[in-house]
Amino acid sequence: MTGGAGYIGSHTCVALLQAGYEILVVDNLSNSKKESLLRVEAITGKKVPWVQADVRNRGKMRELFSAHPVEGVIHFAGLKAVGESVEKPLRYYDANVAGSMALAEVMQEFGVRLLVFSSSATVYGDPAMLPIREDFPVGATTNPYGRSKLMVEQIYTDLAVSDKAWQIALLRYFNPVGAHGSGLIGEDPSDIPNNLMPYISQVAVGRRERLTVFGNDYPTVDGTGVRDYIHVMDLAEGHVKALAWLQNHTGAHVFNLGTGRGYSVLEVVKAFETASGRPVPYRFSPRRAGDVAAVYADAMKAEQELKWKASRGIEAMCRDAWNWQQQNPMGYPD
Ligand code: NAD
Ligand code: WQD
């Protein structure tokens, strides 16, 4: 698992270990701490073998493939801050596109052709219709981060055409939030959070004064942006299902991983206040550049094919995010 020390990776470690898989984590710790893996060990009672390495380092990756009997790869490693990608596009294309190419090259050398890739609903841009199905047009992405995800999808799809042995799942996540129910692992942004749920959590815990709501003039239920928030443990379990499904499927296949339901910013604020019992003061500001009014998935393909369906609602998402935030008000220790 590349990027396994990160937010989604650490939760997927738990789901995979609990499903009986043996894993090896590769992470350069550019956006995570090794403490997350120690916490995964505490939750599961199992060892998490891991190596600090960069996926772009082909020599190091070859060493790992030589030393371990890898059957498949879940590729989380990458950079994900949308705003930063506009300022540092080369850094993003290098980490996300060159990194994904280096990984696939080494996998090919070692005859490992089972690959699950973290893509994003951002590839749909501003959808013409809702809910969003996998066959909707892609490409109208508004930033280098989103374009890097789409490029990797295209590269991996070409690879699967070139060699029929590849078994690839391109998972388009909607908005992952929440934490493991233990409160031991969760989302730990190193800077001011870009995303809504961690920002709200930090306001509720007193680390930040108030939330800024980006826009209240969207054509939505209350004028604020609507997104398909998905509990990170549901998402983690989706990876376990995708791995199992790939055992009998070749080619590259796209799946939405979302709940199929949208919530507005103000609905999330309200749900969080209820779950935490704390007020979340906010004020409105103009729209954030690149944001769209509403995004939510048609999640039927994953349900029918992968036999996977998100089961945790907004209450559990807020409760678990808050539990993690309260137990770890400053995130993971160094
Ligand atoms: P994260 O930053 O918490 O995890 C990514 C991990 O990859 C980190 O531990 C980081 O140290 C590591 N990493 C980064 N570059 C690396 C490299 N070159 N070599 C080795 N390790 C490297 O992010 P996350 O939220 O867990 O996201 C995981 C993946 O899912 C990313 O690819 C992200 O783009 C994608 N994704 C995330 C979201 C979201 O909202 N969180 C939504 C859609 C897609
Ligand atoms: C959600 C809603 C904001 C922060 C991003 C990436 C996407 C994917 C998930 C990686 C929007 C509003 C937010 C705040 C706010 N990441 N908001 N105040 O923008 O849907 O998706 O993360 O792949 O690619 O673009 O998520 O959590 O930033 O925003 O009002 O301080 O909350 O305007 O309506 P987004 P988000």
Side-chain angles (χ1 to χ4, degrees):
M1 187 189 298
T2 75
Y7 172 46
I8 304 170
S10 56
H11 290 80
T12 305
C13 284
V14 171
L16 283 172
L17 289 169
Q18 289 178 340
Y21 283 88
E22 282 182 60
I23 59 178
L24 170 68
V25 167
V26 180
D27 199 301
N28 67 0
L29 301 186
S30 58
N31 196 37
S32 54
K33 295 182 182 154
K34 60 177 185 293
E35 176 71 15
S36 64
L37 297 174
L38 300 177
R39 304 272 182 103
V40 171
E41 292 182 342
I43 292 168
T44 60
K46 296 187 180 180
K47 274 270 160 231
V48 181
W50 75 282
V51 176
Q52 184 166 356
D54 195 297
V55 290
R56 291 165 291 190
N57 183 342
R58 289 174 174 75
K60 187 74 194 168
M61 295 300 284
R62 284 190 189 104
E63 264 174 43
L64 296 178
F65 278 87
S66 299
H68 302 274
V70 180
E71 287 173 34
V73 176
I74 305 185
H75 179 35
F76 291 111
L79 303 178
K80 64 165 181 178
V82 169
E84 190 187 44
S85 80
V86 177
E87 275 141 39
K88 300 174 183 163
L90 295 177
R91 188 159 176 248
Y92 271 69
Y93 289 120
D94 190 40
N96 294 359
V97 181
S100 299
M101 287 179 63
L103 172 69
E105 257 174 59
V106 177
M107 287 178 68
Q108 196 163 41
E109 279 172 41
F110 284 82
V112 180
R113 295 208 179 70
L114 196 142
L115 177 57
V116 177
F117 174 63
S118 300
S119 187
S120 169
T122 194
V123 300
Y124 295 114
D126 194 357
M129 268 190 324
L130 291 164
I132 302 174
R133 279 201 323 266
E134 287 85 349
D135 58 1
F136 278 21
V138 291
T141 44
T142 54
N143 54 76
Y145 167 75
R147 281 187 278 279
S148 76
K149 288 287 165 190
L150 185 59
M151 285 176 195
V152 176
E153 283 198 8
Q154 291 166 335
I155 291 166
Y156 284 174
T157 303
D158 287 341
L159 201 54
V161 170
S162 74
D163 175 351
K164 304 287 181 256
W166 279 98
Q167 300 169 287
I168 303 177
L170 307 169
L171 305 182
R172 293 179 180 158
Y173 312 154
F174 281 67
N175 289 56
V177 296
H180 187 262
S182 64
L184 286 173
I185 56 173
E187 188 168 10
D188 181 21
S190 53
D191 219 336
I192 300 173
N194 297 307
N195 297 113
L196 180 64
M197 189 69 91
Y199 204 103
I200 290 180
S201 306
Q202 293 192 3
V203 171
V205 86
R207 260 175 86 175
R208 308 201 182 272
E209 201 181 333
R210 66 168 75 81
L211 172 72
T212 303
V213 177
F214 301 135
N216 61 351
D217 57 352
Y218 286 109
T220 61
V221 56
D222 55 21
T224 66
V226 166
R227 296 291 181 274
D228 185 338
Y229 298 94
I230 173 169
H231 195 294
V232 66
M233 285 311 301
D234 275 326
L235 190 62
E237 289 160 10
H239 290 74
V240 178
K241 296 284 192 185
L243 267 188
W245 184 87
L246 280 179
Q247 309 288 333
N248 339 302
H249 293 83
T250 56
H253 305 269
V254 173
F255 292 100
N256 285 341
L257 294 187
T259 66
R261 193 179 156 173
Y263 287 91
S264 74
V265 175
L266 294 183
E267 286 170 336
V268 176
V269 167
K270 191 146 285 156
F272 201 95
E273 288 182 329
T274 305
S276 65
R278 298 274 182 102
V280 177
Y282 63 83
R283 68 164 165 230
F284 293 116
S285 81
R287 296 177 178 193
R288 181 171 66 177
D291 271 359
V292 303
V295 173
Y296 52 91
D298 180 326
M300 284 314 290
K301 185 179 174 195
E303 184 174 344
Q304 283 163 359
E305 291 282 335
L306 306 181
K307 313 291 180 221
W308 170 89
K309 190 175 190 300
S311 66
R312 297 158 178 93
I314 193 77
E315 301 77 14
M317 299 180 211
C318 293
R319 180 197 65 214
D320 293 338
W322 176 236
N323 186 29
W324 151 255
Q325 182 68 57
Q326 259 188 316
Q327 289 189 43
N328 306 272
M330 302 308 284
Y332 292 118
D334 281 320

